[in-house]
């Protein structure tokens, strides 16, 4: 089961901002240290022992003598969290009850009923049953409304994503009873679905843009990312791909070994990909290309933005510093600290920063941190308010932050990967009205209903014909306005006209997604995607890099 929601807003959600904190894992994947009885540090044994005893005494006094009853475990979690904030923004404590959710994002599969869903108007809507999953086999359809789970009413109860996960996910082989309301039928339908292992994908889509240009979008680096990427790359090469557009926008990172293996497919010889530096040399490492890659020749453009973090920045930094790819977009997030996951004895986990990542030229990827977590989390919003979405931050282009690529090109540090070609965020057709359509789920709801009403004719239409000839009519736009008004979105004619073309494109993309999946969504959406279009326009520069003439 997945939950995905596309929004057109400059303000990142709290989840988006914090995501790199939760999913960043150690470069040495699988290195786990079991919690043991207290043992003083070898570097400062007296200090750590003194601190441990002080904390133990304070907690004991509170538990025994404080005037009110106190949840000691909750207090301990709070104290640990505040203590870690003094270190860096990515050292984190994850309570046991949150750990499963944090890990599931990267595990690459889960056990459940296999639907992508969204919550509209306090109701769970099935966006699509996942291909090959038990819901598809049982006959669940896009647009179905889940009104009961195991006899419990879930419509109109204020249910959230976590509540849906809790009810629909479960061990393989267990069963769940669903009551479904389908638009075309008056009476609800009852289904008993046996949960199974459901694969999820981190390569959202791959397709040929034209007869020589391939496109691959990687949304995160999870347990199966490298294998998915290689399958996509091989398929595109079989279709005649000569140049590649690799989209890492919004990719918050994940497993570093998958990122390194991906970079190795592009970097020839034994060139460096990344190195780490920590306290002493225990966690220092230097990683080089090791194998003959599948695409070491040919123009390569990488799309990057402020949502690209951690493993994404490792890939982009390695390709840029080795003059292997042209980076197009905006400065990336700036997450360059290595965390080691350490399980604690109550099932919680400490993710402790043990070293820093550096690109081959010596740039530290990590952006500055002043010790204020709130300011750090607002960095992306501050970039927008300070104008960095629309022009590069000149304060980062100084000699003290200047480095050289393998071929002698100037690149800059300062936090994150600076693009070779800056693309300002295109806001010409954005409006508050369009944002409200997304916030109220009007666009997805209308698109899903349109698909339901025209399902037979749409499913007979090949995507090539849909992409070329399907048009969002004025009548459809007026129906969207009516749907929006019913949802409480006040009509604004000027903003509606400003966003008209973009709205048409997005409606067509979402309708295409209902019919053809992501292969029908992204190719349509990219027609109004300025960063994507700029990437295509700069393959001549990428060709110069590939040939060593730049």
């Amino acid at each position: 089961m997945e939950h995905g929601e596309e929004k057109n807003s400059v303000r990142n959600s709290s989840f988006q901002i914090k995501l790199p904190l939760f999913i960043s894992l150690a470069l040495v994947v699988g290195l786990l240290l079991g919690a043991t009885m207290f043992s003083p540090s070898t570097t400062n044994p007296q200090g750590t022992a003194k601190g441990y005893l002080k904390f133990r005494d304070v907690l004991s006094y509170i538990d025994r003598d404080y005037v009110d009853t106190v949840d000691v475990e909750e207090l301990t979690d709070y104290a640990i969290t505040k203590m870690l904030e003094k270190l860096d923004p990515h050292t984190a404590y994850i309570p046991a009850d949150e750990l499963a959710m944090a890990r599931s994002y990267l595990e690459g599969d889960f056990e459940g009923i296999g639907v992508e869903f969204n919550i509209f108007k306090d109701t769970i809507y099935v966006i699509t049953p996942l291909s090959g999953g038990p819901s598809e086999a049982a006959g669940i359809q896009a647009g179905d409304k889940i009104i009961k789970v195991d006899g419990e009413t879930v419509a109109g109860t204020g249910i959230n994503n976590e509540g849906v996960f809790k009810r629909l996910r479960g061990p393989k082989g267990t069963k769940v009873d669903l009551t479904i309301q389908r638009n075309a039928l008056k009476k609800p339908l009852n289904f008993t679905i046996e949960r199974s292992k459901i694969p999820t994908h981190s390569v959202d889509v791959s397709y040929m843009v034209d007869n020589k240009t391939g496109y691959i979008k990687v949304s995160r680096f999870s347990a199966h990312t490298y294998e998915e990427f290689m399958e996509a790359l091989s398929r595109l090469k079989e279709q005649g791909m000569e140049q590649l557009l690799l989209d890492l926008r919004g990719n918050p990172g994940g497993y570093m070994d998958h990122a390194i293996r991906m970079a190795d497919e592009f970097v020839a010889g034994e060139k460096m990909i990344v190195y780490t530096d920590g306290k002493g040399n225990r966690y220092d490492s230097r990683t080089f290309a090791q194998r003959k890659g599948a695409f070491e020749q040919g123009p390569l453009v990488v799309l990057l933005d402020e949502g690209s973090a951690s493993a994404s920045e490792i890939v982009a930094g390695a390709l840029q510093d080795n003059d292997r790819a042209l980076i197009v977009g905006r400065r990336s997030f700036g997450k360059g600290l290595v965390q080691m996951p350490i399980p604690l004895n109550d099932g919680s986990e400490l993710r402790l920063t043990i070293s820093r990542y550096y690109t081959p030229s010596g740039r530290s990827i990590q952006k500055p941190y002043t010790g204020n977590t709130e300011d750090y989390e607002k960095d992306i919003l501050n970039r927008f308010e300070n104008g960095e979405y629309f022009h590069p931050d000149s304060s980062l282009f100084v000699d003290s932050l200047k480095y050289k690529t393998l071929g002698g090109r100037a690149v800059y540090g300062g936090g994150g990967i600076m693009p070779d070609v800056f693309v300002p965020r295109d806001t010409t057709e954005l409006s508050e009205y369009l944002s409200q359509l997304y916030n109220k789920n009007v666009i997805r709801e209308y698109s899903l209903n349109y698909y339901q009403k025209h399902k037979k004719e749409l499913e007979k239409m090949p995507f090539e014909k849909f992409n070329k000839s399907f048009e969002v009519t004025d009548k459809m736009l007026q129906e969207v306005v009516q749907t929006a008004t019913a949802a409480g979105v006040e009509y604004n004619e000027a903003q509606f006209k400003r966003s008209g073309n973009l709205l048409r494109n997005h409606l067509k993309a979402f309708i295409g997604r209902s019919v053809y999946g992501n292969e029908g969504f992204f190719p349509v959406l990219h027609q109004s995607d300025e960063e994507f279009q700029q990437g295509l326009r700069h393959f001549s520069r990428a060709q110069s890099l590939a040939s060593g003439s730049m």
Side-chain angles (χ1 to χ4, degrees):
M1 183 173 47
E2 294 181 7
H3 172 238
E5 181 177 354
E6 292 76 12
K7 289 190 176 180
N8 225 6
S9 172
V10 296
R11 295 181 179 273
N12 294 56
S13 70
S14 175
F15 175 75
Q16 290 171 311
I17 292 170
K18 294 181 179 179
L19 192 55
L21 282 68
F22 285 111
I23 70 170
S24 301
L25 298 176
L27 178 61
V28 186
V29 174
L31 179 61
L32 300 176
L33 302 181
T36 62
M37 295 296 290
F38 172 74
S39 177
S41 162
T42 56
T43 57
N44 183 19
Q46 186 174 357
T48 52
K50 184 177 179 181
Y52 166 75
L53 294 173
K54 183 190 297 185
F55 185 79
R56 185 197 65 179
D57 288 348
V58 170
L59 200 62
S60 296
Y61 279 116
I62 291 173
D63 186 40
R64 187 184 67 202
D65 298 328
Y66 185 67
V67 63
D68 296 322
T69 301
V70 173
D71 186 331
V72 175
E73 187 173 356
E74 181 181 340
L75 197 64
T76 302
D77 287 356
Y78 177 79
I80 293 172
T81 299
K82 299 304 288 185
M83 175 176 64
L84 297 182
E85 287 179 4
K86 290 291 185 181
L87 302 180
D88 67 76
H90 296 291
T91 289
Y93 167 75
I94 304 178
D97 60 350
E98 297 179 14
L99 191 57
M101 183 70 72
R103 285 176 173 168
S104 68
Y105 186 82
L106 289 176
E107 285 173 351
D109 53 37
F110 57 88
E111 293 177 350
I113 69 168
V115 295
E116 181 183 350
F117 72 93
N118 208 336
I119 300 174
F120 302 143
K121 298 178 183 176
D122 213 11
T123 302
I124 306 166
Y125 280 74
V126 175
I127 299 302
T128 184
L130 299 183
S131 178
S135 288
E136 182 185 56
I140 301 296
Q141 298 180 8
D144 284 350
K145 291 177 280 190
I146 302 176
I147 57 177
K148 290 184 179 181
V149 179
D150 286 332
E152 176 193 0
T153 299
V154 292
T157 61
I159 195 167
N160 56 19
N161 292 334
E162 187 176 352
V164 179
F165 291 146
K166 183 178 179 180
R167 289 164 176 80
L168 299 187
R169 287 187 177 180
K172 178 181 178 181
T174 59
K175 295 180 179 180
V176 58
D177 294 326
L178 300 183
T179 301
I180 298 291
Q181 184 67 58
R182 188 165 292 166
N183 281 345
L185 303 175
K186 293 182 179 180
K187 293 184 178 181
L189 301 172
N190 295 310
F191 294 86
T192 297
I193 301 175
E194 183 175 315
R195 296 180 178 96
S196 182
K197 180 159 283 190
I198 311 297
T200 58
H201 302 285
S202 53
V203 174
D204 286 351
V205 70
S206 61
Y207 71 96
M208 291 295 291
V209 181
D210 54 39
N211 60 6
K212 68 175 182 178
T213 307
Y215 170 86
I216 301 176
K217 179 173 177 59
V218 183
S219 60
R220 62 189 183 276
F221 287 91
S222 62
H224 303 302
T225 297
Y226 175 73
E227 291 77 11
E228 291 178 39
F229 169 76
M230 290 303 293
E231 288 176 12
L233 188 65
S234 176
R235 191 165 53 248
L236 293 179
K237 290 175 68 177
E238 289 173 0
Q239 297 176 52
M241 182 186 72
E242 299 175 10
Q243 55 191 29
L244 175 63
L245 188 60
L246 176 62
D247 193 347
L248 298 179
R249 291 176 296 174
N251 183 324
Y255 290 129
M256 294 302 157
D257 60 333
H258 286 255
I260 289 167
R261 291 166 71 189
M262 180 185 293
D264 200 350
E265 297 299 330
F266 299 116
V267 176
E270 298 180 352
K271 300 184 181 74
M272 181 180 289
I273 292 176
V274 67
Y275 71 91
T276 64
D277 186 29
K279 183 184 292 183
N281 58 14
R282 182 180 179 186
Y283 298 115
D284 294 355
S285 66
R286 297 165 69 85
T287 305
F288 298 85
Q290 297 180 353
R291 66 177 68 86
K292 176 67 176 176
F295 195 70
E296 291 182 353
Q297 303 294 325
L300 176 62
V301 172
V302 177
L303 298 181
L304 215 61
D305 67 8
E306 54 282 340
S308 308
S310 192
S312 301
E313 296 171 300
I314 298 296
V315 173
L319 298 180
Q320 187 180 49
D321 282 6
N322 284 298
D323 296 301
R324 177 62 191 95
L326 190 75
I327 311 299
V328 175
R330 293 183 296 278
R331 179 165 67 102
S332 61
F333 184 89
K335 194 279 176 188
L337 298 176
V338 186
Q339 279 73 53
M340 177 172 64
I342 305 173
L344 304 178
N345 54 21
D346 66 343
S348 59
E349 186 172 276
L350 171 65
R351 293 186 179 175
L352 183 67
T353 296
I354 56 172
S355 58
R356 290 181 173 85
Y357 289 119
Y358 293 85
T359 70
S361 67
R363 290 180 290 168
S364 173
I365 291 171
Q366 179 62 37
K367 62 188 174 184
Y369 175 61
T370 61
N372 188 315
T373 303
E374 185 177 352
D375 287 347
Y376 186 86
E377 291 177 355
K378 288 182 178 179
D379 173 65
I380 299 299
L381 178 60
N382 291 337
R383 293 190 201 185
F384 171 75
E385 293 179 341
N386 295 335
E388 192 181 334
Y389 279 21
F390 309 103
H391 52 77
D393 184 352
S394 59
S395 68
L396 298 175
F397 293 91
V398 295
D399 286 345
S400 61
L401 300 174
K402 190 175 181 179
Y403 295 81
K404 294 289 186 180
T405 68
L406 195 64
R409 293 187 303 133
V411 288
Y412 292 85
I417 301 299
M418 301 292 289
D420 300 304
V421 177
F422 177 82
V423 182
R425 186 182 177 104
D426 185 6
T427 59
T428 54
E429 296 185 44
L430 297 181
S431 67
E432 181 62 27
Y433 185 74
L434 183 65
S435 294
Q436 286 299 310
L437 295 185
Y438 273 101
N439 292 340
K440 296 289 186 177
N441 278 314
V442 171
I443 292 176
R444 288 194 75 160
E445 181 181 0
Y446 177 84
S447 302
L448 198 56
N449 289 336
Y450 184 91
Y451 163 70
Q452 284 287 94
K453 293 176 182 177
H454 302 85
K455 185 174 181 179
K456 289 184 180 179
E457 58 192 89
L458 286 169
E459 291 187 343
K460 290 179 181 178
M461 187 184 303
F463 172 69
E464 292 73 18
K465 182 178 179 181
F466 173 87
N467 194 25
K468 184 177 181 180
S469 62
F470 181 88
E471 293 184 3
V472 174
T473 64
D474 291 341
K475 180 184 177 183
M476 292 170 65
L477 289 184
Q478 288 307 311
E479 291 171 349
V480 170
V481 171
Q482 293 168 11
T483 304
T485 302
V489 180
E490 184 178 349
Y491 179 65
N492 184 306
E493 184 176 5
Q495 293 185 11
F496 174 77
K497 289 182 177 179
R498 175 180 177 178
S499 300
N501 290 333
L502 197 60
L503 178 56
R504 289 179 194 272
N505 173 263
H506 288 193
L507 284 170
K508 181 176 178 178
F510 277 107
I511 293 169
R513 188 182 188 189
S514 294
V515 185
Y516 313 100
N518 281 346
E519 288 74 15
F521 177 74
F522 285 103
V524 175
L525 200 68
H526 288 153
Q527 294 167 16
S528 64
D529 183 341
E530 180 59 24
E531 293 154 30
F532 175 90
Q533 297 297 331
Q534 285 282 358
L536 295 181
R537 294 185 192 115
H538 284 87
F539 268 113
S540 58
R541 287 185 61 181
Q543 175 63 63
S544 298
L545 271 180
S547 61
S549 59
M550 189 172 182

